[in-house]
Amino acid sequence: MISAIVLAAGQATRFGECKQLVRLGGKTLLEHALAGVRGAKIDDVVVVLGANAEEILERIAFRETVVINPDFAGGMSTSIQAGLRAAKGDAALIVLGDQPFVASATLDALIDEYRRTKARVIIPTYRGLRGNPVLVDRSLFAEMMNIRGDVGCRAIFGDHADSIVNVPVEDRGVVVDIDTAEDLVGTSKAL
Amino acid sequence: MISAIVLAAGQATRFGECKQLVRLGGKTLLEHALAGVRGAKIDDVVVVLGANAEEILERIAFRETVVINPDFAGGMSTSIQAGLRAAKGDAALIVLGDQPFVASATLDALIDEYRRTKARVIIPTYRGLRGNPVLVDRSLFAEMMNIRGDVGCRAIFGDHADSIVNVPVEDRGVVVDIDTAEDLVGTSKAL
């Protein structure tokens, strides 16, 4: 079974409002990310909330498991860990809630590669740039529990360079995330 | 590390309103259960919500990890499992959110007994009656993942009779739970 952990706990200090709920077209940023996950061959989805959790729960009807991370201010690593603990799968896609444009087909391509190669880490690349989401095998979860601060799973990849498979994709969405209101404007125009 | 899993996901069909938020004195039922946990020597608390999660999150300020179980209608076993997955501890107390009167000292007595005996299951008894919460060692979590339907961890105790330690306590709260509005009236008068 493959899990997806959708990270949407951040307080987005560079953004200035509740980033997860910013609208882009007819949906919020987080709903865009969720739509990609819901369309893929994923059996278990854990959404991690933190900052503004009550507001987000009022506005979005989740049918996924939701975990509210009380330690979100301790950085992204704490939210990844809260999600990993709740995940049921043999592997987990670490999905960024502020990446609205990743296609379901891209997620499926990562999962297919995992099933074929059993590689412990699968990373999508767009024109040579490494992107997200990253798929991580359960055998690395224990190590990911030791990451501290505002860093993601890349913190442990240096120790597992031989276990990484890059999957080139034609989906620019894997390298687009929304950090500022300006990103949002630029992205809307570009896509 | 000891975890507590506070079960508050039920839809309380026998109760007729959002049971978790019914007031008893100055606090809601769920806050009473939480107060017992917060006062005990417990390092990791996971509150499992399901029915009426949004309403409960609006009304209660949790500082604990909250998991929203989308499968709560599948019965108590699904909520125990959602909580166990998120728990960090070597053992977990399975705390019923509708047991408002369990004293922190009672929880501590169960934890002390666990530390002393390393028994895999610790159950409080009041005048010979088995009560709740039950403390379960992590070595049984995998088995608890296979329980189905609206049953609790007792479902697996038959297979582990030799691993159970009963702890007699003078806390009637371990055998009092609130299932109906009548229970609430009776209990308020009695305590």
Side-chain angles (χ1 to χ4, degrees):
Chain A
M1 184 195 287
I2 305 293
S3 297
I5 293 166
V6 181
L7 300 174
Q11 47 198 337
T13 46
R14 285 175 293 179
F15 203 79
E17 58 180 312
C18 180
K19 183 166 79 165
Q20 296 92 338
L21 294 177
V22 166
R23 297 189 83 80
L24 185 65
K27 280 191 291 218
T28 61
L29 262 195
L30 178 52
E31 285 170 307
H32 278 284
L34 266 180
V37 170
R38 287 173 173 172
K41 294 179 286 188
I42 295 169
D43 312 293
D44 173 51
V45 181
V46 179
V47 180
V48 184
L49 301 180
N52 311 304
E54 290 78 5
E55 194 182 344
I56 295 168
L57 283 160
E58 255 172 62
R59 291 270 304 277
I60 301 181
F62 294 101
R63 46 182 190 260
E64 293 81 9
T65 298
V66 173
V67 174
I68 304 176
N69 170 23
D71 305 316
F72 70 87
M76 184 189 288
S77 62
T78 68
S79 293
I80 291 177
Q81 289 156 4
L84 286 177
R85 275 192 293 271
K88 305 173 192 173
D90 309 308
L93 278 157
I94 312 297
V95 174
L96 307 187
D98 61 1
Q99 283 205 330
F101 301 116
V102 180
S104 302
T106 299
L107 303 181
D108 284 342
L110 300 173
I111 293 168
D112 288 347
E113 187 71 9
Y114 171 72
R115 295 228 160 97
R116 205 172 60 75
T117 62
K118 293 289 170 198
R120 297 168 82 191
V121 179
I122 313 269
I123 303 180
T125 62
Y126 177 77
R127 303 196 180 167
L129 289 174
R130 283 185 166 175
N132 286 289
V134 170
L135 189 152
V136 183
D137 184 73
R138 181 171 284 276
S139 63
L140 293 177
F141 288 9
E143 215 167 314
M144 292 169 71
M145 288 298 166
N146 296 320
I147 302 172
R148 293 287 172 270
D150 197 28
V151 290
C153 38
R154 271 156 224 269
I156 65 161
F157 291 173
D159 296 333
H160 298 282
D162 295 343
S163 309
I164 297 177
V165 168
N166 292 318
V167 177
V169 297
E170 280 307 311
D171 180 352
R172 185 170 159 257
V174 303
V175 294
V176 175
D177 59 351
I178 307 294
D179 277 338
T180 64
E182 280 173 17
D183 282 348
L184 195 59
V185 174
T187 308
S188 297
K189 281 182 190 159
L191 285 152
Chain B
M1 186 195 286
I2 305 293
S3 297
I5 294 166
V6 181
L7 300 173
Q11 47 199 337
T13 47
R14 285 175 293 180
F15 203 79
E17 58 179 311
C18 180
K19 184 167 78 167
Q20 296 90 338
L21 294 176
V22 166
R23 296 190 82 79
L24 186 65
K27 281 191 289 217
T28 62
L29 263 196
L30 178 51
E31 285 170 307
H32 279 284
L34 267 180
V37 170
R38 287 173 175 174
K41 293 178 287 188
I42 295 169
D43 311 293
D44 173 51
V45 181
V46 179
V47 180
V48 185
L49 301 180
N52 311 305
E54 289 80 4
E55 194 181 344
I56 295 168
L57 283 160
E58 255 171 61
R59 293 270 302 279
I60 300 181
F62 294 101
R63 46 181 190 258
E64 293 80 10
T65 298
V66 173
V67 175
I68 305 177
N69 169 24
D71 306 317
F72 70 87
M76 184 189 289
S77 62
T78 68
S79 292
I80 291 177
Q81 288 156 4
L84 286 178
R85 275 192 293 272
K88 306 174 194 173
D90 309 308
L93 278 158
I94 312 297
V95 174
L96 308 186
D98 61 0
Q99 284 206 331
F101 301 115
V102 180
S104 302
T106 300
L107 304 180
D108 283 341
L110 301 173
I111 293 168
D112 288 345
E113 187 71 8
Y114 171 72
R115 295 228 159 98
R116 206 172 58 77
T117 63
K118 293 288 170 197
R120 297 169 82 190
V121 179
I122 313 267
I123 303 180
T125 62
Y126 178 77
R127 301 192 181 171
L129 289 173
R130 281 187 168 174
N132 286 288
V134 169
L135 189 152
V136 184
D137 184 72
R138 180 171 285 274
S139 63
L140 294 177
F141 287 8
E143 214 167 315
M144 291 169 73
M145 289 298 167
N146 297 319
I147 301 173
R148 293 287 173 271
D150 197 27
V151 289
C153 39
R154 270 156 225 271
I156 65 161
F157 290 172
D159 296 332
H160 298 281
D162 294 344
S163 309
I164 297 177
V165 168
N166 292 317
V167 177
V169 296
E170 280 306 311
D171 179 352
R172 185 169 160 258
V174 303
V175 294
V176 175
D177 58 352
I178 307 296
D179 278 338
T180 65
E182 282 175 15
D183 282 346
L184 196 59
V185 174
T187 308
S188 297
K189 281 181 188 159
L191 285 153

